Amino acid sequence: MGKILIVSDVHGDRAILVDILNHWRNQVDAIFYNGDSELAADDSVFDGVSTVIGNRDSDVNFVEARSTTVDGVTFFQTHGHLYNARDFIGWANLTDMDQAANEAQAQVVLFGHTHQAGTQVYDHKLFINPGSTTLPMGEYASFGGSYAVLSIEPQQLIVDFYNRQHQELPVLKAVVNRDQLK
């Protein structure tokens, strides 16, 4: 089945984005970038990449949010700032993104903005924040930055996180049975 690369919040560090994309491009079926690149929407680094605008992006050619289906799984992708992702106690506020994901009939929600890597099943959807490669925050900030790879298997979704050196971060790994999702 498919593999999906998920990156967010490089905040102008084009070199790390290029490094991650070069490392994974031939190993994944789709690439999602969840905003705050501080690069132009037409930058060649985004060729073949699904992108959305972040609160630090000034190029209006980025879209605010999008739905995409890969390998039978529908994704709702946003940066999160337009859905109040930071108005939370804990990891993230998922309420507004959940409502938008319901409208998109998505099973997986991809976002950034909080710079906190993690996953959560909420309202029968898998929420994934890959964290920030450049300005990590929260419980796992000491890893020095992160991104995620989602493996779509027949019975489950597996989310693995990696640091800037492409080393797996097992403490963040999540395995979700597909029957938990809509």
Side-chain angles (χ1 to χ4, degrees):
M1 305 283 304
K3 275 195 176 187
I4 312 299
L5 175 64
I6 310 158
V7 185
S8 191
D9 295 279
V10 300
H11 288 281
D13 188 349
R14 188 178 190 279
I16 191 61
L17 184 56
V18 167
D19 182 58
I20 292 167
L21 294 177
N22 285 342
H23 182 83
W24 286 97
R25 193 174 294 274
N26 294 325
Q27 301 176 59
V28 297
D29 301 299
I31 302 170
F32 291 89
Y33 185 82
N34 298 341
D36 273 1
S37 66
E38 301 180 36
L39 304 172
D42 64 356
D43 189 305
S44 64
V45 74
F46 293 127
D47 290 349
V49 177
S50 177
T51 61
V52 292
I53 195 166
N55 58 298
R56 300 286 183 173
D57 294 318
S58 58
D59 190 332
V60 297
N61 292 310
F62 285 111
V63 298
E64 292 180 357
R66 71 173 72 229
S67 322
T68 307
T69 301
V70 178
D71 237 359
V73 176
T74 301
F75 295 84
F76 176 74
Q77 179 190 18
T78 184
H79 181 60
H81 65 297
L82 300 172
Y83 297 91
N84 303 307
R86 268 214 184 129
D87 296 338
F88 64 95
I89 298 172
W91 178 60
N93 175 14
L94 307 179
T95 306
D96 292 346
M97 288 184 287
D98 182 56
Q99 182 177 358
N102 282 337
E103 292 170 15
Q105 298 181 335
Q107 294 87 39
V108 178
V109 179
L110 307 175
F111 71 105
H113 191 52
T114 68
H115 296 213
Q116 295 188 48
T119 61
Q120 183 173 336
V121 174
Y122 177 82
D123 191 26
H124 305 286
K125 286 179 261 336
L126 174 60
F127 285 75
I128 304 171
N129 187 328
S132 170
T133 58
T134 309
L135 302 168
M137 295 182 184
E139 182 178 359
Y140 303 109
S142 63
F143 293 146
S146 62
Y147 62 93
V149 174
L150 170 66
S151 298
I152 302 170
E153 300 292 335
Q155 301 300 317
Q156 57 192 7
L157 302 179
I158 303 166
V159 186
D160 291 298
F161 289 82
Y162 297 85
N163 66 16
R164 291 172 60 100
Q165 293 75 37
H166 315 296
Q167 298 166 321
E168 192 171 346
L169 303 170
V171 70
L172 284 164
K173 182 179 189 118
V175 178
V176 176
N177 290 326
R178 289 181 78 162
D179 61 6
Q180 292 180 260
L181 308 176
K182 283 186 183 178

